[in-house]
Amino acid sequence: MNGFAGKILRVNLTERSIREEPLDAEVTRQFIGGRGLGARILFDELEAGVDPLGPENKLIFLTGPASGTMLPGQTRFIVVGKSPLTGYFGEANCSGSFGSELKRAGYDACIVEGKASTPVYLWIKDGAVELRDAGKLWGMATGPTDDALKAEVGDPNAWVACIGPAGEKLVKFACIISDKHRAAGRTGLGAVMGSKNLKAVVARGTRPAQVANPDRLRGVVRFLLDQAKNNPGQQNLGKYGTSGGIPTLNAQGILPTKNFQAGDFAGFSKISGEHMANTILTGTIHCQGCPVPHDRLVDMKDSPYGPIDGQYGGAEYETIAAFGSLLLIDDLVPINKANEICNAYGVDTISAGTIMAWAMECFDRGIITEKDTDGIALKWGDARAMLAMLEKTCRRR
Ligand code: SF4
């Protein structure tokens, strides 16, 4: 079946069983891509009323028909499960090469069921699959977890999707981090992974994805690369990242500001992608085969908010809006520190920032006070208060 590996991996952590199932070609035609297939599997297999953090919930990692091919942008993967944040269908989407590796390792999807009695990780290599002990990784931030797992499996080219301490502690907006700075961010699926005692999935595959007409696909790739090279929008994306559009959003009155009380922010130019490129940006990154190096990198040995560890990347638009204009913070340094904290603990920057904005509005209106915040004066624009509260949130203190 071209475009697909043709197999689904099913891992039951309670029983410690691992088995392969054939992929139903008809289902893949009816339910497009990883998101479609994942929604269909959940719909078929989950009982109504399942506790999202109970062993009955399922966590599914999925690829699509383009994953593992030479197409730019194909490296993304999807994770689905019942969301502990919304109680509804949860889906998150992540860049990096984990998806390509999973496909090349022989699987279109990996369904994780049950709950391990002790922390484990799943190691998938070219069709060989094993559950391994993750006891010594429990409690570790995502960066050292990634390094430790690559060393343990003895392959620096393996790709890791893991949780940090926030997922272990079941923070309801915990995410799954891949490559230390890429997030399957939304809907709290990191907490579902934590509830299963699953610290990480590590994938490595060397089998090329099968495509029906490689020459024609090569032509499409050439066309897309040409477009990217000559398109001013794509060039700006490479130069300024996703936050390059902040001045436009501000002019249009749709930059999320002061917990959505406003749509424009006086300090917008200080949090723009252009300002970041001209000040604290230390590099850019891009996914395998993608011509647009839009991922930001900020590495600071020292700052008024402490060092910022470059392994956790740099803030993208959503993070900058969530920890910047939404909180009336006009300084990219604490915003990038917040990005580092979120990626290290494994929490979704969008949910973390918007919850902070809601709490700041509650504080402003006197609905909550320092008695509720453990002494932190959660005032609009106060970056130190934001960082202190974020650390507490990530640790569920
Ligand atoms: S670098 Fe950005 S645009 Fe390119 S594939 Fe990765 S996430 Fe997509």
Side-chain angles (χ1 to χ4, degrees):
M1 192 161 65
N2 287 315
F4 294 93
K7 277 187 289 191
I8 291 177
L9 183 66
R10 189 180 293 271
V11 178
N12 188 302
L13 296 174
T14 309
E15 298 164 1
R16 291 186 78 92
S17 64
I18 294 169
R19 66 173 199 265
E20 290 179 355
E21 295 171 7
L23 181 71
D24 183 335
E26 191 49 35
V27 169
T28 63
R29 283 188 200 100
Q30 289 174 352
F31 298 87
I32 305 294
R35 177 181 291 156
L37 180 61
R40 170 64 195 254
I41 295 172
L42 277 188
F43 184 79
D44 283 348
E45 298 192 6
L46 277 198
E47 296 287 330
V50 155
D51 174 3
L53 297 178
E56 317 78 32
N57 196 7
K58 304 197 182 197
L59 186 69
I60 314 179
F61 296 80
L62 301 118
T63 64
S67 308
T69 67
M70 61 186 106
L71 272 174
Q74 52 70 28
T75 58
R76 303 192 74 92
F77 67 98
I78 299 282
V79 192
V80 302
K82 185 173 179 182
S83 165
L85 193 58
T86 65
Y88 185 61
F89 174 64
E91 182 258 333
N93 178 311
C94 185
S95 61
S97 284
F98 177 83
S100 318
E101 291 298 327
L102 183 62
K103 171 73 93 55
R104 290 187 192 130
Y107 302 104
D108 298 297
C110 170
I111 304 173
V112 181
E113 307 171 332
K115 176 180 181 177
S117 53
T118 53
V120 293
Y121 76 92
L122 186 63
W123 169 221
I124 304 169
K125 182 167 186 198
D126 283 333
V129 186
E130 51 179 307
L131 279 168
R132 291 183 169 184
D133 175 49
K136 59 182 181 297
L137 302 172
W138 209 247
M140 219 182 244
T142 58
T145 298
D146 195 294
D147 290 337
L149 284 167
K150 281 179 180 147
E152 189 163 312
V153 301
D155 191 337
N157 295 318
W159 275 72
V160 176
C162 70
I163 55 170
E168 296 168 12
K169 289 185 182 294
L170 312 182
V171 172
K172 282 191 176 172
F173 46 94
C175 66
I176 299 165
I177 295 281
S178 189
D179 197 22
K180 305 176 182 180
H181 67 281
R182 304 171 188 279
R186 309 292 285 148
T187 69
L189 297 174
V192 176
M193 198 156 157
S195 74
K196 297 189 172 306
N197 267 335
L198 179 64
K199 180 70 177 175
V201 181
V202 188
R204 179 74 174 113
T206 56
R207 302 165 178 178
Q210 297 302 310
V211 295
N213 190 332
D215 284 342
R216 205 160 159 207
L217 188 64
R218 261 189 286 278
V220 172
V221 171
R222 268 195 299 275
F223 171 77
L224 291 172
L225 294 181
D226 269 2
Q227 291 280 309
K229 207 164 76 192
N230 299 317
N231 181 306
Q234 297 286 316
Q235 287 164 0
N236 272 343
L237 186 60
K239 255 178 38 210
Y240 303 131
T242 45
S243 57
I246 282 181
T248 308
L249 296 176
N250 194 67
Q252 291 170 337
I254 52 171
L255 182 67
T257 302
K258 203 179 182 188
N259 196 26
F260 300 95
Q261 291 179 39
D264 62 319
F265 176 40
F268 79 90
S269 63
K270 292 199 209 157
I271 59 168
S272 71
E274 194 170 346
H275 188 64
M276 187 149 146
N278 293 333
T279 54
I280 61 170
L281 190 72
T282 39
T284 59
I285 317 165
H286 61 91
C287 299
Q288 202 178 46
C290 178
V292 188
H294 80 74
D295 284 354
R296 308 286 93 181
L297 178 63
V298 173
D299 191 294
M300 295 176 84
K301 296 279 164 286
D302 199 15
S303 87
Y305 305 93
I308 298 177
D309 190 339
Q311 70 177 325
Y312 296 112
E316 298 285 343
Y317 162 68
E318 286 87 352
T319 309
I320 292 176
F323 286 108
S325 49
L326 209 56
L327 310 181
L328 303 187
I329 292 173
D330 64 359
D331 184 348
L332 283 167
V333 176
I335 294 170
N336 276 278
K337 184 68 190 172
N339 181 70
E340 177 220 74
I341 292 170
C342 288
N343 285 350
Y345 280 98
V347 303
D348 176 29
T349 58
I350 304 176
S351 288
T354 49
I355 289 166
M356 193 78 69
W358 173 82
M360 278 188 177
E361 179 164 351
C362 287
F363 195 89
D364 189 40
R365 293 174 186 269
I367 297 166
I368 60 171
T369 68
E370 285 177 39
K371 275 196 203 135
D372 305 295
T373 61
D374 200 18
I376 298 172
L378 215 49
K379 292 190 179 144
W380 291 119
D382 189 332
R384 288 189 192 284
M386 173 273 281
L387 291 171
M389 185 53 83
L390 182 60
E391 285 262 4
K392 280 184 185 295
T393 307
C394 292
R395 292 167 187 260
R396 281 193 80 174
R397 288 191 177 155

